[in-house]
């Protein structure tokens, strides 16, 4: 018969996808320019010019079996070599291409690592708010999710809450910084404290607790803020990376997993990553994109454009009286709903064709996520609709 778990995932689309589909229907009725869709994290700032130039050049000069053929299961050697060279230059590390496994983006990186590590009965700690797909990726391995609330004012990791969340069954902890949906970047101090706490717990329990760092937004930070490179703070760190956001290539599906030599049972973990890639049918990330990455490491889409969008929407919405978390990175604004029920608030926003994602599925009720990776002009045009929405909650916003 049919696998009911999968049927349910298929039938229960994510809230984000639902809003996106609603937006498409509304656009057909009222015109695309009258719908203010802040639902999806689809980067609006294009890839740096060199990315498209490299694709063209590759097609013109290397349009042969090599370009479109299968690569090694773990990725083309020259691509992996270029990626680790770039990481080593930027972070003073000494990774080898043998530490890297190329994937179809961060979702595949996470699913492969989680499949490689977990067996039923294991627990994995995630910090709220978190990317909702974590739950799908974790639970389909048979492991269970333990939510750990962040500090409700700063959305930094709350160490006391972490102490309560970690148990002897904890096999790993996932962090995501810059964070989707809060836009928060975990400070060096936070990372140090998490590292020292987990190290202690590894000793107490006598088994490794892997820190999985999901970092598709690593380079998308503003105002000179630095994202600590976690492998330098905590030995048992596995990195899941994606070029979806930094190079605006979400549809081209390219990223990697980094398994440093220093982590506990490194060779076995890498072997299990290769095995999980195989079991999931994910071997051989897109070949053309691997060749592009080989030549485009270290590039990032124009951060000034994202910063301009961030400043525009953050300033406008706080001026209207909404409470928002100041985003230091990524391209999401996390806004407090003026009423406890963020779903009802999002429904009211829809009446003004404003599509805001209620954050309940991120594990943080009472907030909405606004993906501002959209045309700056759309943000400007949406402001009167936000003003009307604010009028509906004039009393609540005064409090
Ligand atoms: N992790 C986080 C925190 C994300 O926000 C996303 C996508 O939005 C992903 C993973 C998946 O990224 P990718 O498109 O590279 O699979």
């Amino acid at each position: 018969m049919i696998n009911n778990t999968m049927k349910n995932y298929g039938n229960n689309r994510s809230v984000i996808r639902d809003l996106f589909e609603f937006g498409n229907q509304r656009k057909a009725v009222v015109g695309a320019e009258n719908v203010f869709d802040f639902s999806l994290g689809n980067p609006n700032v294009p890839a740096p010019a060199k990315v498209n130039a490299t694709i063209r050049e590759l097609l013109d000069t290397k349009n042969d079996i090599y370009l479109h053929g299968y690569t090694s299961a773990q990725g083309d050697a020259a691509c992996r070599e270029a990626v680790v060279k770039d990481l080593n230059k930027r972070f003073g590390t000494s990774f080898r291409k043998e530490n890297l496994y190329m994937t179809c983006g961060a979702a595949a990186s996470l699913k492969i690592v989680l499949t490689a590590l977990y067996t039923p009965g294991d627990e994995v700690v995630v910090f709220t708010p978190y990317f909702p797909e974590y739950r799908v990726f974790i639970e389909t391995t048979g492991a269970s999710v333990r939510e750990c609330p962040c500090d409700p004012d700063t959305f930094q990791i709350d160490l006391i809450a972490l102490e309560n969340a970690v148990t002897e069954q904890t096999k790993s902890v996932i962090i995501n910084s810059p964070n989707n949906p809060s836009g928060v970047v975990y400070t060096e101090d936070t990372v140090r404290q998490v590292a020292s706490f987990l190290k202690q717990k590894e000793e107490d329990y006598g088994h490794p607790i892997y820190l999985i760092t999901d970092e598709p937004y690593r380079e998308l930070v503003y105002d000179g803020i630095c994202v600590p490179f976690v492998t330098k703070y905590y030995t048992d760190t596995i990195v899941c990376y994606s070029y979806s956001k930094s190079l605006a290539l979400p549809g081209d599906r390219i990223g990697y997993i980094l398994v440093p030599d220093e982590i506990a049972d490194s060779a076995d973990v890498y072997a299990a990553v290769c095995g999980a890639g195989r079991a999931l049918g994910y071997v051989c990330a897109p070949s053309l994109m691997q060749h592009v990455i080989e030549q485009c490491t270290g590039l990032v889409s124009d951060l000034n454009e994202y910063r301009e969008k961030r400043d525009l929407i953050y300033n406008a919405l706080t001026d209207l009286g909404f409470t928002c978390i100041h985003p230091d990175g990524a391209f999401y604004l996390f806004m407090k709903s003026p009423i406890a029920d963020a779903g009802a608030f999002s429904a009211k926003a829809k009446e003004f064709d404003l599509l805001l994602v209620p954050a309940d599925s991120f594990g943080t009720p009472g907030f909405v996520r606004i993906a501002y990776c959209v045309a700056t002009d759309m943000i400007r045009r949406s402001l009167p609709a936000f003003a009307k929405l604010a009028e509906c909650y004039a009393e609540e916003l005064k409090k």
Side-chain angles (χ1 to χ4, degrees):
M1 292 287 282
I2 294 169
N3 179 327
N4 274 329
T5 309
M6 295 303 146
K7 192 179 81 186
N8 290 339
Y9 286 138
N11 282 338
N12 299 316
R13 266 197 319 225
S14 81
V15 184
I16 303 174
R17 288 274 159 196
D18 269 351
L19 266 179
F20 177 68
E21 296 305 336
F22 169 84
N24 285 340
Q25 285 160 18
R26 279 296 289 166
K27 282 176 190 171
V29 177
V30 296
E33 69 287 2
N34 297 315
V35 179
F36 310 113
D37 184 354
F38 293 97
S39 64
L40 272 193
N42 221 354
N44 155 275
V45 178
K50 184 170 174 201
V51 172
N52 282 344
T54 304
I55 295 172
R56 279 194 204 96
E57 194 193 322
L58 282 165
L59 289 174
D60 287 344
T61 59
K62 283 202 172 112
N63 196 1
D64 55 16
I65 293 296
Y66 163 79
L67 190 57
H68 299 294
Y70 291 122
T71 64
S72 298
Q74 66 271 41
D76 180 69
C79 171
R80 289 183 292 132
E81 189 71 59
V83 172
V84 292
K85 200 169 151 204
D86 175 61
L87 289 174
N88 292 341
K89 191 171 101 199
R90 284 158 65 201
F91 302 116
T93 46
S94 47
F95 301 124
R96 302 171 300 118
K97 67 177 185 311
E98 288 74 16
N99 300 119
L100 215 66
Y101 184 99
M102 299 306 295
T103 64
C104 300
S109 301
L110 286 162
K111 184 62 199 160
I112 289 174
V113 169
L114 300 176
T115 305
L117 292 181
Y118 302 150
T119 48
D122 292 337
E123 287 176 2
V124 51
V125 172
V126 300
F127 297 97
T128 63
Y130 61 92
F131 183 53
E133 296 306 279
Y134 289 171
R135 187 170 274 283
V136 180
F137 299 158
I138 293 165
E139 289 181 347
T140 46
T141 67
S144 55
V145 176
R146 274 187 79 99
E147 293 186 351
C148 177
C150 278
D151 179 302
D153 297 319
T154 62
F155 285 98
Q156 290 287 324
I157 289 170
D158 175 347
L159 258 288
I160 310 251
L162 180 59
E163 277 174 29
N164 292 330
V166 170
T167 74
E168 198 154 359
Q169 278 65 50
T170 305
K171 197 99 172 258
S172 59
V173 172
I174 303 182
I175 60 171
N176 166 228
S177 169
N179 185 266
N180 171 13
S182 71
V184 163
V185 176
Y186 297 148
T187 63
E188 186 176 26
D189 200 36
T190 299
V191 173
R192 269 189 212 289
Q193 288 181 39
V194 170
S196 102
F197 169 75
L198 290 180
K199 191 159 176 283
Q200 183 58 52
K201 285 290 154 191
E202 287 190 321
E203 280 165 24
D204 292 351
Y205 297 144
H207 65 73
I209 300 177
Y210 295 105
L211 189 54
I212 300 172
T213 134
D214 175 27
E215 28 192 76
Y217 305 94
R218 150 164 293 286
E219 290 81 12
L220 301 185
V221 274
Y222 313 110
D223 312 322
I225 282 173
C226 179
V227 183
F229 193 64
V230 184
T231 65
K232 300 176 88 169
Y233 298 83
Y234 184 68
T235 309
D236 285 333
T237 297
I238 301 172
V239 179
C240 291
Y241 186 82
S242 164
Y243 294 92
S244 294
K245 317 289 175 166
S246 59
L247 289 185
L249 296 172
D252 292 318
R253 314 307 299 139
I254 187 78
Y256 62 75
I257 299 163
L258 177 73
V259 181
D261 287 330
E262 294 74 22
I263 70 166
D265 307 318
S266 174
D268 287 346
V269 172
Y270 191 84
V273 161
C274 295
R278 189 177 161 202
L280 293 163
Y282 286 174
V283 289
C284 184
S287 174
L288 173 61
M289 281 303 127
Q290 292 192 55
H291 294 296
V292 172
I293 295 305
E294 183 189 330
Q295 296 188 43
C296 294
T297 55
L299 299 181
V300 185
S301 293
D302 185 357
L303 288 179
N304 286 329
E305 259 194 80
Y306 280 128
R307 200 189 39 235
E308 187 193 350
K309 296 176 202 297
R310 180 208 56 180
D311 290 345
L312 178 62
I313 193 149
Y314 175 83
N315 293 337
L317 298 195
T318 49
D319 283 352
L320 286 171
F322 290 110
T323 303
C324 302
I325 306 299
H326 188 259
D328 290 328
F331 38 52
Y332 305 105
L333 182 67
F334 210 41
M335 185 166 95
K336 202 164 192 300
S337 163
I339 51 173
D341 183 349
F345 176 60
S346 166
K348 175 57 82 182
K350 266 165 136 182
E351 291 175 18
F352 302 102
D353 287 311
L354 282 169
L355 308 189
L356 319 179
V357 178
D360 300 53
S361 62
F362 293 84
T364 312
F367 280 80
V368 291
R369 185 191 80 169
I370 299 172
Y372 60 81
C373 48
V374 294
T376 310
D377 176 56
M378 188 194 102
I379 301 177
R380 280 203 192 92
R381 286 185 296 101
S382 72
L383 298 182
F386 274 112
K388 285 186 200 148
L389 182 64
E391 274 168 29
C392 301
Y393 297 98
E395 281 309 306
E396 289 83 353
L397 291 176
K398 269 192 221 142
K399 285 178 196 156

